[in-house]
Amino acid sequence: MLPVAPCALAPHARVRALLTAVLTAVLVAAALAVPGPARAVTADPDFTLYDNTAYTSAALGGASVLSSFVPARICASLVADGALPGEAEWKSIVQSYNRSTDGPLVLDCETLYLNSTSTAADHYARLLQLQSWAREVAPGQVIGWYGLLNNTISANYGYYRNLIAADPDTAFFPSLYTYSAGEDAWNTALTADVAKARAVDADVPLLPYVWPQYHGGSSPSSLDYTFVPAAQWSVQLATIRELGLPGAVVWGGWPISETCDTACQAAVPSSGWLAATRSFLGDLADRRTDLARGAAATVSSVNVTGRDASKAVDGDPATRWGSTYADPQWITVDLGARYRVGGVRLVWETAYGRAYTVQVSDDASSWTTAYSTTSGAGGVERVEGLSATGRYVRVHGTARGTSYGYSLWSLEVYGTAVS
C-alpha cells in the first residue's frame, strides 16, 4: 500500500495559468503517433526556453529564462546508504544553486529514482522530504525532479503521483538528449516522454531537458560530446514547441568530467547551435499570422502516398510534403488574395533544398524571384526582408542537399494584405 501523501498545496497562479493555456494541446499531441520529427507553424506565446547552461564563453540570452539545478553529484553522497542530509544542510545547498527565482528549480537525485519496486517506498520517502525542504527555500518557484519521469516504472506511478499531490507547483523534467545523428530515435524518445507524462499525471507540464551536444555513448562514438549540427538542433527545438509543450530546458557546459573541454568552450560563441537557438528565440517573439496555414497548395511531384502538398501547410506536426528524388521540384501556395510578402519560414525534413528560390506571382504563371540561395543548410530556415506582391508563393528547388528529394514539414508565409 502506498504511503499517504500530505495535503496538496494550492498551485501558484503562474502554473495554474500555464496549465489551462497549454495542457489541452499537450494531451492532443500525446495521442498522435509521430513517425518522424514533428513540426507546425505559428509562434506560441506560452512557450519558454529555459537556460540551464554553464558554457563559460556564451549564454543563450534573448528571451530565455535562467533555471536552477541541484546536480546529482551533490545529492548522491548525501543520500548514500539510506541517509538523508540534515535539513539545514540541504536548504543551504538548494539556496546556493538557486541562481534565478524567475525559472524552475530542478533537483537531481538519480540514486533515488523510482525504477524498482523493492526500493520505491524508501526512495519516495526521501524524495518527499527533500522536495518539502526545497519548497521552503523556494516558495514561489516551480520545483521538479530531473529524469524521474524517464526512470519511474509503471508499478511506481502512485509514488510519483503522491510527490505531485504533495506539491503540485511542479513540472516533469525528463532527459531528451541526442544519441545519434538520425532524427527518428530522438523523436521516438520525445513521443514516449509525452505519453508517459500523460499516464502519470495529465495536469503537470512537461519541460524536457535538451543538450546541444551529443551524449556520451552516442552512435557512432565519434559523435560523443561534439556539437549537434545547427539544422538538427533547430528542428529539435521546433519540434518541442510545435507539439504544444510549454517549454524546454537547455543544458550544457557544466564542469563535470570532460563533456565540454577548453576547445569546446572556446568554440561556443561561433557554433551553429547557438545561432540556431537565438534564431529560435526570435521565432518565439514572432506573433505574425501564417498566411499559408490551410491554404490550397500544389507541388511538382509526390514520392509517397500521403505526402501531398497539403501536408506542408496543414499545421499538423506529424505530416510533410515529400518530392521524388530529382531536380527541380516546387511547392506553390495560393494565399487566396494579394499580399505584400515579407518572409517565409521553412522547416525541412532531412531531405532539404541546398539551392532554391522563393517566388511570388499574381497568376501562378509569371513569377518574380524574391529570394535565391545556393547554400541552404536545412533544418529551420527563416527568410526575411522580402519585398514582393502577389497571390501565389512558390518555393522552387533547383539542387537537393541530399540524394533524396525535397521534403518540408512546414511552409509558412508572412505578409500584409494589399488593399
Side-chain angles (χ1 to χ4, degrees):
M1 184 173 179
L2 296 182
V4 177
C7 295
L9 302 177
H12 295 279
R14 175 161 50 88
V15 170
R16 186 184 300 112
L18 181 148
L19 293 175
T20 56
V22 175
L23 283 169
T24 298
V26 175
L27 297 185
V28 172
L32 297 175
V34 186
R39 326 283 190 269
V41 286
T42 56
D44 184 352
D46 294 314
F47 189 96
T48 302
L49 193 65
Y50 294 100
D51 182 356
N52 203 163
T53 65
Y55 292 109
T56 57
S57 53
L60 302 188
S64 63
V65 176
L66 286 178
S67 63
S68 304
F69 185 79
V70 178
R73 68 181 186 277
I74 299 298
C75 186
S77 61
L78 300 175
V79 299
D81 301 321
L84 266 178
E87 178 179 355
E89 180 183 15
W90 179 248
K91 287 182 176 179
S92 176
I93 290 170
V94 170
Q95 186 66 58
S96 68
Y97 278 94
N98 195 19
R99 61 180 184 169
S100 172
T101 58
D102 293 330
L105 171 62
V106 183
L107 309 175
D108 187 4
C109 281
E110 297 176 21
T111 56
L112 296 182
Y113 281 155
L114 300 173
N115 50 13
S116 168
T117 55
S118 63
T119 60
D122 170 65
H123 287 188
Y124 161 77
R126 288 189 282 166
L127 288 169
L128 183 63
Q129 183 62 79
L130 295 173
Q131 175 179 286
S132 176
W133 287 339
R135 172 56 66 200
E136 293 180 31
V137 174
Q141 291 173 251
V142 170
I143 297 178
W145 293 100
Y146 168 81
L148 191 60
L149 181 70
N150 306 105
N151 294 280
T152 297
I153 61 175
S154 58
N156 292 334
Y157 283 0
Y159 288 106
Y160 205 152
R161 292 178 185 126
N162 278 0
L163 286 172
I164 294 166
D167 191 344
D169 198 352
T170 190
F172 293 120
F173 294 97
S175 162
L176 193 62
Y177 297 146
T178 308
Y179 285 85
S180 73
E183 297 175 341
D184 288 347
W186 183 89
N187 194 72
T188 297
L190 171 60
T191 304
D193 285 346
V194 173
K196 191 168 185 178
R198 182 185 183 188
V200 174
D201 192 315
D203 292 331
V204 173
L206 177 66
L207 300 171
Y209 262 70
V210 290
W211 186 11
Q213 294 172 245
Y214 291 105
H215 199 287
S218 293
S219 180
S221 59
S222 59
L223 294 176
D224 285 2
Y225 305 124
T226 60
F227 290 125
V228 175
Q232 186 176 356
W233 176 249
S234 65
V235 168
Q236 289 184 9
L237 295 177
T239 299
I240 294 169
R241 168 195 167 199
E242 292 161 357
L243 274 181
L245 302 188
V249 185
V250 182
W251 188 89
W254 287 78
I256 57 173
S257 64
E258 296 180 0
T259 59
C260 193
D261 58 17
T262 301
C264 164
Q265 294 284 357
V268 170
S270 60
S271 60
W273 75 265
L274 184 61
T277 303
R278 290 172 176 170
S279 177
F280 174 80
L281 289 167
D283 279 344
L284 294 181
D286 188 347
R287 306 295 178 84
R288 296 173 296 176
T289 300
D290 173 23
L291 303 174
R293 171 73 71 91
T298 56
V299 291
S300 53
S301 68
V302 173
N303 69 328
V304 174
T305 300
R307 293 182 184 165
D308 54 273
S310 67
K311 300 305 189 294
V313 294
D314 61 2
D316 187 331
T319 62
R320 60 185 172 98
W321 163 60
S323 79
T324 55
Y325 302 172
D327 295 310
Q329 302 289 338
W330 52 261
I331 178 171
T332 298
V333 179
D334 179 359
L335 304 180
R338 298 184 76 234
Y339 286 87
R340 294 183 183 88
V341 177
V344 299
R345 180 172 177 263
L346 309 172
V347 184
W348 296 99
E349 198 256 351
T350 301
Y352 70 96
R354 178 172 54 81
Y356 64 89
T357 58
V358 177
Q359 301 172 316
V360 180
S361 173
D362 282 324
D363 57 8
S365 178
S366 178
W367 295 93
T368 298
T369 296
Y371 173 79
S372 178
T373 184
T374 58
S375 57
V380 180
E381 293 189 301
R382 300 172 70 198
V383 179
E384 300 290 354
L386 304 184
S387 181
T389 300
R391 171 173 171 169
Y392 301 89
V393 175
R394 179 169 74 172
V395 177
H396 187 264
T398 55
R400 290 164 288 151
T402 69
S403 61
Y404 301 102
Y406 297 82
S407 189
L408 284 168
W409 295 101
S410 177
L411 164 59
E412 304 168 30
V413 178
Y414 299 100
T416 56
V418 176
S419 56

